[in-house]
Amino acid sequence: MSAPVQTLGILGGGQLGRMLAMAAARLGIKAHIYAPESNSPAAHVAAGFTCAAYNDLAALKAFAQSVDVVTTEFENVPAGTCDILANHIPVRPHARALEIAQDRVAEKSFLNERGIATAPWRAVATAPELDAALKALGTPSILKTRRLGYDGKGQVRITAAKDAAGALAAIKAAPAVLEGFVDFEREISVIVARGTDGAIACYDPGENDHEDGILRRTTVPAAISEATRKSALEIARKIVRTLDYVGVMGVEMFVASDGKLLVNEIAPRVHNTGHWTLEGCAISQFEQHVRAVCGWPLGSTARHADAVMTNLLGSEADDWQALAAKDQAVHLYGKGEARPGRKMGHVTVLSAKA
Ligand code: ATP
Ligand code: MG
């Protein structure tokens, strides 16, 4: 019996697409990457590659005809691109999930409307609105662009009301949200998956350390109580269920000092904080995503080890000989230029389950 999906189309050509393509290959599924960048790490390991803009109608149509289902490896694919593709073939997750995650106002509104707590926030588009938001939320607070932020880019911390004008200028007066600063005890994330049959599976929450707004390390298990762990999983399940989501999603959360959970962001895709599952679980987040979007049953999320995943940023990946000599799994993404802060690879160390 041949599988219903023989070719999986992936929008986006970065390292997440690369690891998805490799997981698909293990299941006998070919990956076809669609990305505007000619040197795309995902294309190096894929069966097919279309290098075209996201609004190239002819290229999108040909892509739709050459794959059985389409997924995304980054959330900023224009929603219109997904709509065009969805006229021809299934797009999973659906465009609405991307739209919500692309806009911090839509994202926080979606969460709050479902009774899920976030940092206090206000939408801000003008200087008077920022002043009013600062009065309401106080300082310190963080001004974030509504769209296109990643790795802490497009964010400014405001420590005093007098810094408001400078902060707005720093984000080029782009439409934004002001968020109250959360004095969190730790940051965690839940990698959750939902299948086409509505089944939901969560991996154990990881604990995340950031440096300069960029993820440095994920440690599993997170040092949280069983009650906090259960609530974190419940929140993640509620998000994918109410969104009628299909695929893997990363849900980033703050654990406040009183144990309360606040959702920071949702990422409608496989997530950097889930890379440890490649070695720590029989079925990784990447295979889980491929299974979900291709209509397979979800696999086990059981963890057979404790794990620490560390990102290799910029030139840190250059000394691959030293990295490989240590007792750790090395992943290099095959990217050309090692710009400072750029995610070039990661390493994972496993240890016996405590
Ligand atoms: P990424 O793409 O890495 O997820 P991003 O650019 O979308 O990042 P956020 O996740 O919003 O940005 O923020 C990056 C980090 O900054 C958070 O993980 C957290 O450490 C810190 N941070 C963000 N918002 C707040 C807040 N309201 N209070 C305290 N710290 C925050
Ligand atoms: Mg984030």
Side-chain angles (χ1 to χ4, degrees):
M1 196 178 83
S2 65
V5 170
Q6 282 158 30
T7 305
L8 168 63
I10 302 176
L11 296 170
Q15 68 269 18
L16 301 178
R18 180 180 174 99
M19 291 184 270
L20 282 171
M22 292 194 285
R26 187 168 108 165
L27 300 180
I29 296 169
K30 293 190 178 91
H32 184 137
I33 305 299
Y34 188 111
E37 302 84 14
S38 60
N39 187 15
S40 290
H44 303 165
V45 301
F49 179 36
T50 299
C51 182
Y54 288 122
N55 60 3
D56 183 334
L57 288 178
L60 286 172
K61 198 165 170 217
F63 177 64
Q65 279 162 357
S66 63
V67 303
D68 301 300
V69 59
V70 169
T71 191
T72 44
E73 65 96 68
F74 93 126
E75 61 269 41
N76 289 317
V77 170
T81 301
C82 294
D83 290 336
I84 293 164
L85 291 169
N87 288 331
H88 301 275
I89 39 167
V91 177
R92 297 171 182 149
H94 50 65
R96 171 93 186 108
L98 265 59
E99 270 171 8
I100 289 172
Q102 281 170 2
D103 177 2
R104 292 190 196 274
V105 169
E107 184 178 46
K108 290 176 197 303
S109 306
F110 167 83
L111 294 166
N112 295 162
E113 280 160 16
R114 278 151 192 81
I116 297 168
T118 58
W121 63 277
R122 294 284 186 284
V124 164
T126 61
E129 280 175 11
L130 178 55
D131 289 340
L134 279 166
K135 279 205 183 74
L137 304 181
T139 53
S141 48
I142 304 186
L143 188 66
K144 302 182 180 179
T145 56
R146 279 176 71 155
R147 292 179 172 276
L148 297 173
Y150 73 99
D151 290 347
K153 293 183 173 63
Q155 301 195 10
V156 200
R157 194 183 290 200
I158 301 181
T159 46
K162 66 175 173 43
D163 302 335
L168 209 52
I171 62 160
K172 300 191 178 74
V177 292
L178 185 74
E179 278 184 40
F181 190 81
V182 179
D183 188 15
F184 55 80
E185 195 164 81
R186 60 190 86 248
E187 288 188 80
I188 62 168
S189 54
V190 176
I191 307 298
V192 56
R194 186 167 175 276
T196 49
D197 58 356
I200 298 175
C202 297
Y203 291 91
D204 238 357
E207 182 161 340
N208 306 318
D209 294 306
H210 292 80
E211 285 168 15
D212 302 326
I214 305 177
L215 181 71
R216 165 54 72 187
R217 193 174 303 102
T218 298
T219 305
V220 189
I224 50 176
S225 69
E226 185 52 23
T228 303
R229 196 182 84 92
K230 280 200 176 132
S231 329
L233 300 188
E234 200 35 59
I235 289 170
R237 299 174 74 91
K238 187 176 188 179
I239 293 172
V240 291
R241 192 176 58 239
T242 59
L243 202 48
D244 197 21
Y245 187 85
V246 172
V248 161
M249 174 187 279
V251 183
E252 301 175 11
M253 304 179 194
F254 299 125
V255 185
S257 36
D258 58 1
K260 218 177 137 207
L261 289 169
L262 305 174
V263 171
N264 173 33
E265 276 194 305
I266 61 175
R269 51 172 168 76
V270 287
H271 199 244
N272 193 172
T273 66
H275 290 1
W276 64 272
T277 60
L278 279 165
E279 287 84 17
C281 303
I283 310 294
S284 74
Q285 65 162 347
F286 301 100
E287 177 171 335
Q288 196 73 279
H289 185 77
V290 173
R291 283 175 173 242
V293 302
C294 292
W296 285 42
L298 295 184
S300 164
T301 51
R303 176 171 67 80
H304 57 70
D306 289 355
V308 179
M309 186 288 313
T310 306
N311 274 335
L312 300 172
L313 305 173
S315 61
E316 289 165 3
D318 289 352
D319 198 359
W320 51 269
Q321 283 164 309
L323 293 167
K326 293 188 186 158
D327 195 9
Q328 57 190 2
V330 180
H331 298 254
L332 298 176
Y333 304 149
K335 292 183 179 177
E337 197 197 341
R339 289 191 298 273
R342 192 174 191 205
K343 291 173 179 169
M344 302 301 289
H346 72 268
V347 291
T348 301
V349 176
L350 296 184
S351 55
K353 247 172 130 174

